[in-house]
């Protein structure tokens, strides 16, 4: 028998970071994403975001590469958003995304950060947030990767 406990902090944004996720209905989107992750045999620990991006903390199976799961989540939600009248300005997701592994033993700060997104973004933009997060991990930030 094999065991794993792989937790991921996943961030993806709307196309050109346009504010096309209506905050009055974002819980619908988060529930839908949760359903997709469950269908993919994973589980969501936390999800939140802003009108131009989503943060997801989840455990995903090791059956497929992470890019497969991101593609499934983004494609399915994009089709759903396009057909949902509560998101009339929806276009599509950007091609880029960020995935950061999280230690199960040190997950609480990540969960608090994701859950406090709306408060956090009163002080920092998405770009500043991502730049700082990647810099802390020694990853060079390319602003165009998250916008395409």
């Amino acid at each position: 028998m094999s065991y794993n406990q792989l937790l991921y902090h996943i961030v993806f944004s709307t196309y050109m970071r346009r504010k096309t996720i209506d905050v009055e209905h974002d819980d619908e989107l988060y529930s839908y994403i949760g359903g997709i992750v469950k269908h993919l045999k994973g589980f969501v620990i936390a999800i939140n975001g802003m009108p131009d991006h989503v943060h997801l903390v989840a455990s995903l199976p090791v059956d497929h590469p992470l890019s497969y799961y991101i593609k499934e989540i983004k494609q399915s939600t994009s089709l759903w958003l396009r057909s949902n009248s509560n998101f009339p300005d929806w276009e599509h997701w950007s091609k880029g995304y960020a995935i950061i592994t999280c230690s199960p033993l040190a997950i609480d700060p990540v969960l608090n950060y994701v859950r406090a997104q709306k408060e956090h973004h009163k002080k920092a933009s998405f770009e500043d947030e991502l730049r700082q997060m990647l810099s802390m991990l020694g990853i060079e930030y390319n602003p165009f990767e998250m916008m395409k």
Side-chain angles (χ1 to χ4, degrees):
M1 175 164 272
S2 300
Y3 300 95
N4 74 69
Q5 177 66 315
L6 301 173
L7 303 178
Y8 303 99
H9 179 185
I10 303 164
V11 183
F12 48 95
S13 68
T14 59
Y15 177 69
M16 300 299 288
R17 291 196 208 110
R18 294 186 180 133
K19 297 178 187 320
T20 56
I21 301 170
D22 186 333
V23 294
E24 291 182 28
H25 302 286
D26 59 5
D27 284 344
E28 292 176 46
L29 171 61
Y30 303 153
S31 292
Y32 191 79
I33 291 172
I36 294 167
V37 172
K38 186 176 180 179
H39 176 76
L40 294 169
K41 309 272 190 275
F43 63 91
V44 171
I45 300 166
I47 187 167
N48 204 349
M50 294 296 291
D52 63 348
H53 70 281
V54 170
H55 287 260
L56 168 66
V57 178
S59 177
L60 298 167
V62 295
D63 302 359
H64 301 287
L66 291 173
S67 58
Y68 166 82
Y69 295 109
I70 301 303
K71 178 183 169 194
E72 290 296 312
I73 292 166
K74 288 168 68 173
Q75 279 185 344
S76 296
T77 55
S78 194
L79 289 170
W80 180 81
L81 286 161
R82 196 170 293 124
S83 67
N84 189 318
S85 62
N86 289 330
F87 301 91
D89 299 325
W90 178 252
E91 294 176 271
H92 53 88
W93 298 111
S94 65
K95 289 183 185 178
Y97 55 88
I99 300 178
I100 301 161
T101 56
C102 303
S103 166
L105 302 176
I107 193 70
D108 287 340
V110 177
L111 297 177
N112 292 336
Y113 175 77
V114 169
R115 290 175 179 144
Q117 276 295 292
K118 291 179 177 52
E119 283 301 310
H120 171 75
H121 281 292
K122 290 179 180 176
K123 302 174 200 156
S125 71
F126 171 67
E127 189 168 356
D128 291 341
E129 167 192 55
L130 188 61
R131 183 182 291 119
Q132 180 182 12
M133 188 184 326
L134 295 176
S135 175
M136 287 175 18
L137 299 167
I139 300 170
E140 186 176 336
Y141 173 67
N142 179 346
F144 300 106
E145 282 301 310
M146 290 297 284
M147 291 178 67
K148 298 190 255 179

